[in-house]
Amino acid sequence: MEIAVEINGVSHSADVEPRTLLVHFIRDVVGLTGTNIGCDTSSCGACTIHLNGEAVKSCTVLAVQADGQQLTTIEGLADGEQLHPMQQAFMECHALQCGYCTPGMVMASVSLLDENPNPTEAEVREGLEGNLCRCTGYHNIVKAVLSAAGGGK
Amino acid sequence: MIPVAFDYVRATSAAEALAALAEHGDEAKLMAGGHSLLPMMKLRLAAPAVVVDIGRITDLSYIRDGGDHVAIGALTRHRDIEISDLVRQHVPLLAAATGQVGDPQVRHRGTLGGALAHADTAADHPSVFLATGATVVVSGPNGQREITGPDLFSGFLESSLEPTEMITEIRVPKYTGAGWNFQKFNRRAQDWAIVGVSVQASSNGTQVALVNMHPTPVRATAVEEALASGADAATAAAQAAEGMEPSSDLNASVEYRQHLARVLTRRALQAAGIN
Ligand SMILES: Cc1cc2nc3c(=O)[nH]c(=O)nc-3n(C[C@H](O)[C@H](O)[C@H](O)COP(=O)(O)OP(=O)(O)OC[C@H]3O[C@@H](n4cnc5c(N)ncnc54)[C@H](O)[C@@H]3O)c2cc1C
Ligand code: FES
Ligand code: FES
């Protein structure tokens, strides 16, 4: 089936099988490999992207469901060399170790602040319940999100 | 993991979806949010020949004041229900339980119609459906019908819908202020309940429904009857596992589930102000 998906402001058309997962379309067809696959069972959140501005797990969406929609992946956050405030906060707070969960964590965190710009620490922890970090660096991840919410102060 | 190949049909109205179901019969499956169906297709526990995508039927995504009830379109996503002022005010049990479903990513996709049609005993919404005395409006080749209460759930992961029918609306009676509570016990925040309980009291008595205690979503009738005949919360809650056939899995044995049902039911009743 012919689909056209806007990813990070650029339209991508392709002929895909209906069973193609959105994460495979993003990585293998479009070639944006920043979005990781962790569990492939909807559990870990490594594949989190934004679909029409909201965090979703792209291993649990079909590419055909995203036809005509707008996606943002981790590659679309920075403005040229200028990191997105959330990326900057992750860097400053040492919110990553191996980095595998990081693209999904950052995308989930940006969506969290869109919905709740001034979260408490408990709300940040709960808001990231769908994202697992195998290096268990949760403490600094929560610090980074709180720091980004406070404008980095 | 990739599903078995299937034909994809996108329906933009309930009429189109029903026509596709009529054409393909039980070869076809509706896909709303896809957050129960797609994981099952990836594991190849489900392999429909035709997937009818109803996710874009935007006119079935709404939350309206229906007078004595709140009317919710079948395609309304968990997120929209969780944050709806109308739902929070008039069906607080539904708002609270919905906020505990999965994680934010799941709640951005999953729908109320999908959650009820999936008829999963481990899911939260069926217990809310039973405890609130809600009704689903179902459309099919012979017009509309309504299903209320346990009749919606006919077996393990099985609803009483015909393969040619779809849920279009859910009607949840407004809460009358007599007490409600939702308890969910799990080990990881985003998980399904190991056991859960929905409680809502009304002038007709107290309704108690259990999550993951029986092959189907179920009402704890022994608890309800004990309360109706004047038992206190602790005495009534001791009946919570009566007649239930819970499963044993890596999270919990049968005995542990029975224990959880009794403890969580007591907590839910007491938190609802029923003593
Ligand atoms: C990681 C993860 C965690 C989760 N955690 C929880 C949890 O804690 N608690 C919980 O309750 N749920 C949980 N869920 C399930 C989630 O709530 C699902 O979204 C929901 O059960 C199904 O809704 P859906 O719209 O995605 O349905 P779909 O997956 O699209 O459909 C499910 C079934 O219902 C049928 N169907 C869908 N819509 C209709 C309709 N309008 N009429 C008739 N049939 C229809 C489909 O054909 C299919 O058989 C979780 C899911 C995931 C992936
Ligand atoms: S890869 Fe999608 S949730 Fe783990
Ligand atoms: S930094 Fe290694 S998985 Fe999170």
Side-chain angles (χ1 to χ4, degrees), chain A residues 40-42 59-60, chain B residues 1 31 34-46 192:
Chain A
D40 201 13
T41 56
S42 325
C59 73
T60 315
Chain B
M1 296 178 303
M31 181 176 281
H35 268 50
S36 291
L37 183 56
L38 191 49
M40 286 182 64
M41 288 168 61
K42 288 170 69 180
L43 293 168
R44 305 205 170 192
L45 296 171
W192 282 262

Side-chain angles (χ1 to χ4, degrees), chain B residues 31-33 54-62 72-78 80 109-114 166-168 170:
Chain B
M31 181 176 281
I54 55 174
R56 298 188 193 209
I57 307 182
T58 41
D59 55 2
L60 287 183
S61 171
Y62 57 82
I72 303 176
L75 271 299
T76 311
R77 303 173 314 155
H78 301 330
D80 299 319
R109 297 292 297 166
T111 67
L112 183 56
M166 75 181 277
I167 298 175
T168 51
I170 299 91

Side-chain angles (χ1 to χ4, degrees), chain B residues 232-254:
Chain B
D232 62 19
T235 310
Q239 307 289 314
E242 275 321 291
M244 303 293 159
E245 291 169 25
S247 63
S248 169
D249 56 31
L250 81 167
N251 281 316
S253 63
V254 167

Side-chain angles (χ1 to χ4, degrees), chain A residues 95-102 105 132-137 141:
Chain A
L96 55 147
Q97 295 176 59
C98 79
Y100 201 83
C101 69
T102 312
M105 280 288 181
L132 303 179
C133 174
R134 249 357 253 283
C135 303
T136 69
I141 292 170

